[in-house]
Amino acid sequence: MTDKRKAYEEKLDAQINELNAQLALIKAKADKAKAEAKVEYYTTIEALQLKRDAARAKLHELKASDDDAWADLKTGAEKAWDEVKSAFHTAAAKFK
């Protein structure tokens, strides 16, 4: 495994951990919200968790791949990651 590959995978791991922390904050806000708002919070949380899980699955594929397949999988992982970041930014703005 190259140093570049290892660094990239570690970066994605750290970003997923950051997303988990952001989800925890959104959940805490949801728990304090009024009943009507809770539904919206939890619907958004569920969607975010699905996107995060998809990104996590891509990362696992990336880690398990050989060097030849890694470059191709990296492109898919980057696309999934962009979708996750966009969804989290939208949710964060929505629930400020």
Side-chain angles (χ1 to χ4, degrees):
M1 178 184 304
T2 67
D3 288 340
K4 185 177 179 180
R5 176 179 172 170
K6 184 177 178 183
Y8 183 79
E9 290 173 0
E10 288 173 355
K11 175 183 146 189
L12 288 181
D13 273 331
Q15 289 175 337
I16 287 175
N17 289 335
E18 183 181 324
L19 291 180
N20 288 333
Q22 289 177 7
L23 265 174
L25 291 174
I26 293 171
K27 285 179 185 178
K29 286 182 182 181
D31 290 340
K32 294 177 184 176
K34 294 184 179 175
E36 304 85 36
K38 280 186 180 186
V39 173
E40 186 176 2
Y41 267 106
Y42 285 112
T43 300
T44 301
I45 288 168
E46 186 176 320
L48 292 173
Q49 288 172 327
L50 289 172
K51 288 191 179 293
R52 182 219 40 215
D53 292 346
R56 186 183 296 152
K58 287 286 186 190
L59 176 59
H60 288 298
E61 282 181 55
L62 206 60
K63 286 182 175 184
S65 68
D66 61 20
D67 287 337
D68 293 331
W70 189 84
D72 292 334
L73 289 172
K74 180 182 174 204
T75 302
E78 287 174 348
K79 183 179 180 208
W81 186 249
D82 288 342
E83 290 175 13
V84 170
K85 286 192 301 187
S86 176
F88 268 82
H89 289 299
T90 301
K94 182 177 181 181
F95 295 125
K96 278 192 174 186

